[in-house]
């Protein structure tokens, strides 16, 4: 087995030891360009991200809102290829921060499932988050991930039945991704009241940490979500920080740093709910 | 032609699972090969499960089936006639039969599918429907069904398609639907599907997604087939009744493949009947500009199903091209992938130019202006009929799904043929 040394579980455990949620940051590879995305990811690590998610830009991103879709489209138009994504993973993983790829399924199938797993592991990648692949459709990926010691992060949703939550968490390794709202990615003014009950339902089925994603864009929201979740996942807000400075990467990176620090502060000042059990 | 006893007729006779049908998880054929399935966000799985249960339940309920048959008959004007195109037949040298779906209410086969799905929506207690549309035909059909059943309706349409099918946008508006122009991606049908799926993720509690073709995640490919299989069931019964025999071949155009699978379903077990699907060849499958997914694509996952996809080496969806918006889709229903892989059906491309030629030919020989989608089937069927005529003589029979009428395509025809200018005194040749 390779890759386990960089698995995301270690980062979640470290955050838990500090009595806080982990900050998970998402950015598509190749946005604003391949080199720029590496700089941006390094900035995010430097400013307090505990885990990185690198998006593989895809032409038909069903779960993404306009912010992330525009970034992915820019990356594709800039010529970003799957092998560039793996290069970005390699550069980001060199920081020592667990780095997962978030991808729609077709590019992996096209690349070759086994070959993708092998190349991701040798790039130092920690695993894969699969927004359009549920465990019951994923035997090939599960086998390849197991062979290479990669994290398998599947999603649970407010609409998931308890049975499906249990089936999903049983197939996960690393952490479980709870989508807090019924809807696509995008920063939201308020966090969802669907999130906490979903996290509780998920915790009831597994000892794995549960990260909550979709919508968080401020330190205060991170503090709120960090009070009941083991990880706070932020995507669109990071993308927007760069989009707000389209032709000025240094200004974009500065905005990214400020935002990351705000979010990292949020997960640190979160008041953990008493019912949150301390798990071994 | 082959002599057989009449098979089950009726537009909706629910069929037991045959060897070309999906398993309970939506996989066609060998599950290891895995055509179909459900590659979808977890957020939609509960809705897809609910839909699957509701559809099974409805199809097993004689009350639902009777209500569906009644609305098809009384409102949509079904069964559509099976018409012997005599002048075209003489020209080709074989007997050409046209299943006149162009005579249905709203002018295409699509009304069958939407009335079925809208009836199911009512049964499920949902109040709003969303749909995606390319040519606008499915959008018009959805808006029509929504008006008929009193449901709210939003239709997603690629911005490019709203321009080339402006008449259909106006029809949807008049019918009370909201039409959203989708600017993302290639701004065509595939992007409209993405946008409709996004809407659905956020609205599943009260909204049904009326999927426009026999593609997408399980149960859509099988459910849409069941709602459209009246095309084939009717045509098969009509052919036997009128000619005492089955056709030698059946033919249909294939975009996502709803009219084709609706026709094919009734004939798959008739081993002697050749089954032909015609895809949009655009400028030619040896060029980058076509929408011939089975002939020119490769195995992949798009819009929730494993099927043939037009894609590049990285698995990014390639833009498709067809002169007909309704065939301009880089995916295809997974049952067609299975039929192609098993060889039970054969798929061939028809270029834009061949389709337009067939559009003119059918117009002039029969006084029937077909949709450009449909013209692809006519062009391909003539190829098949010509070969069969050489093998079997003038009794050789090809049955075509005449999936829709060409009114919506007059703008394209005017441009292509340079129509609309007054002729010289002696008239056109
Ligand atoms: C008349 C007609 N035929 C065929 C099609 C293609 O769809 P399908 O392949 O689902 O039958 C369309 C789609 O808009 C259409 O309008």
């Amino acid at each position: 087995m390779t890759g386990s040394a960089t698995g995301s579980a270690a980062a979640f455990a470290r955050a838990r030891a500090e009595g806080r949620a982990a900050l998970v940051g998402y950015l598509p590879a190749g946005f604003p360009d391949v080199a720029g995305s590496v700089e941006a990811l390094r900035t995010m690590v430097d400013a307090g991200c505990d885990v990185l998610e690198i998006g593989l830009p895809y032409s038909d991103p069903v779960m993404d809102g306009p912010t992330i879709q525009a970034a992915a489209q820019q990356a594709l138009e800039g010529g970003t290829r799957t092998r560039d994504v793996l290069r970005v993973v390699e550069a980001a993983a060199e920081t020592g921060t667990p780095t997962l790829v978030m991808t729609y399924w077709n590019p992996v199938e096209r690349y070759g499932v086994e070959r993708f797993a092998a190349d991701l592991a040798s790039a130092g990648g920690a695993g894969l988050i699969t927004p359009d692949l549920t465990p019951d459709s994923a035997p090939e990926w599960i086998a390849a991930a197991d062979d290479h010691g990669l994290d398998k992060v599947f999603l649970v949703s407010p609409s998931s039945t308890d049975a499906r939550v249990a089936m999903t968490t049983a197939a996960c390794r690393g952490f479980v991704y709870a989508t807090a709202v019924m809807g696509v990615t995008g920063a939201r003014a308020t966090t969802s009241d669907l999130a906490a009950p979903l996290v509780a339902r998920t915790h009831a089925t597994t000892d794995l940490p549960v990260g909550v994603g979709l919508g968080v864009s401020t330190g205060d929201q991170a503090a709120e979500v960090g009070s009941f979740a083991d990880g706070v996942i932020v995507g669109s807000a990071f993308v927007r920080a760069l989009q707000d400075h389209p032709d000025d990467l240094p200004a974009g990176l500065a905005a990214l740093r400020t935002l990351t620090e705000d979010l990292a502060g949020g997960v640190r000042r979160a008041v953990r709910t008493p019912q949150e059990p301390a798990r071994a | 032609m082959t002599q057989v006893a009449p098979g089950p007729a009726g537009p909706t006779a629910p069929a037991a699972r045959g060897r070309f049908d999906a398993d309970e998880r939506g996989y066609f054929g060998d599950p290891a090969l895995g055509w179909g399935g459900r590659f979808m966000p977890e957020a939609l799985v509960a809705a897809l499960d609910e839909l699957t249960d509701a559809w099974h339940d409805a199809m097993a309920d004689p009350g639902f089936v009777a209500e569906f048959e009644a609305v098809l008959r009384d409102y949509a004007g079904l069964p559509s006639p099976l018409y012997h195109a005599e002048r075209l037949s003489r020209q080709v040298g074989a007997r050409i039969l046209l299943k006149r779906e162009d005579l249905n209410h709203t002018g295409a086969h699509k009304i069958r599918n939407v009335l079925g799905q809208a009836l199911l929506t009512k049964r499920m207690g949902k109040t709003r429907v969303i749909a995606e549309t390319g040519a606008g035909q499915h959008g018009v059909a959805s808006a029509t069904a929504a008006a008929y059943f009193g449901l709210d309706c939003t239709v997603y349409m690629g911005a490019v398609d709203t321009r080339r099918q402006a008449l259909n946008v106006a029809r949807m508006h008049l019918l009370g639907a909201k039409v959203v122009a989708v600017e993302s991606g290639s701004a065509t049908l595939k992007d409209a599907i993405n946008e409709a799926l996004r809407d659905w993720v956020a609205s599943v509690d009260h909204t049904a997604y009326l999927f426009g073709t026999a593609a997408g995640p399980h149960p859509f490919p099988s459910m849409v087939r069941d709602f459209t299989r009246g095309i084939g069931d009717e045509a098969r019964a009509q052919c036997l009744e009128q000619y005492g025999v089955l056709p030698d071949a059946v033919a249909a155009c294939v975009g996502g493949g709803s009219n084709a699978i609706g026709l094919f379903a009734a004939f798959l077990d008739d081993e002697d009947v050749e089954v032909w699907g015609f895809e949009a060849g655009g400028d030619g499958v040896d060029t980058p500009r076509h929408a011939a997914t089975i002939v020119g694509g490769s195995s992949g996952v798009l819009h929730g199903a494993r099927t043939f996809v037009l894609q590049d080496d990285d698995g990014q969806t390639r833009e498709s091209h067809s002169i007909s918006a309704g065939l301009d889709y880089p995916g295809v229903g997974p049952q067609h992938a299975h039929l192609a892989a098993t060889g039970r059906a054969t798929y061939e491309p028809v270029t834009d130019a061949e389709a337009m030629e067939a559009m003119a030919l059918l117009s002039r020989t029969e006084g029937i202006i077909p949709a450009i989608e449909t013209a692809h089937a006519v062009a391909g069927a003539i190829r098949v009929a010509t070969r069969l005529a050489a093998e079997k003589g003038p009794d050789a029979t090809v049955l075509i799904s005449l999936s829709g009428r060409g009114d919506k395509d007059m703008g394209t025809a005017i441009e292509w043929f340079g129509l609309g200018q007054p002729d010289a005194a002696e008239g056109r040749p």
Side-chain angles (χ1 to χ4, degrees), chain B residues 96-116:
Chain B
I96 309 271
L97 303 177
L98 304 179
K99 178 61 174 163
R100 295 291 306 274
E101 294 292 298
D102 61 317
L103 295 177
N104 299 351
H105 181 46
T106 70
H109 69 288
K110 308 238 168 209
I111 193 74
R112 298 177 184 264
N113 173 35
V114 292
L115 287 174

Side-chain angles (χ1 to χ4, degrees), chain B residues 107-110 135 137-138 212-214 253-260 326-327 371 373-374 403-405 408:
Chain B
H109 69 288
K110 308 238 168 209
Q137 289 304 92
H138 176 60
T213 190
C253 65
V254 180
S258 66
N259 97 92
L327 302 183
E373 288 82 0
T374 311
S403 57
R405 67 176 187 234
K408 72 185 174 66

Side-chain angles (χ1 to χ4, degrees), chain A residues 43-112:
Chain A
T43 301
M44 286 156 66
V45 167
D46 212 41
C49 275
D50 300 297
V51 175
L52 293 176
E53 283 182 11
I54 296 182
L56 192 159
Y58 176 52
S59 53
D60 294 274
V62 171
M63 280 294 280
D64 288 331
T67 304
I68 290 178
Q69 183 174 21
Q73 200 157 334
Q74 181 178 332
L76 287 174
E77 281 163 11
T80 306
R81 311 279 311 257
T82 302
R83 59 172 180 272
D84 299 314
V85 178
L86 291 167
R87 271 173 42 214
V88 173
V89 168
E90 190 156 24
E94 276 169 11
T95 63
T97 304
T99 301
L100 297 95
V101 170
M102 180 160 207
T103 182
Y104 293 92
W105 185 240
N106 196 49
V108 177
E109 201 163 288
R110 187 68 182 174
Y111 193 90

Side-chain angles (χ1 to χ4, degrees), chain B residues 230-309:
Chain B
I231 303 170
D233 287 336
E234 289 168 19
R236 190 177 185 282
Q238 288 164 325
C239 193
L240 287 171
E241 190 184 305
Q242 292 168 27
Y243 303 95
V245 285
L246 288 177
D248 296 292
V250 296
C253 65
V254 180
S258 66
N259 97 92
I261 206 68
L263 174 69
F264 296 175
F267 294 96
L268 292 177
D269 289 331
D270 299 318
E271 301 280 352
D272 293 333
V273 178
E274 294 179 12
V275 176
W276 288 88
F278 295 100
E279 301 191 295
D283 292 349
V285 283
D286 47 352
T287 76
R289 282 170 53 83
H290 66 80
T293 314
I294 294 175
V295 177
S298 51
S299 166
V301 169
L302 178 66
H303 294 144
R306 185 178 288 113
T307 184
F308 284 97
V309 180

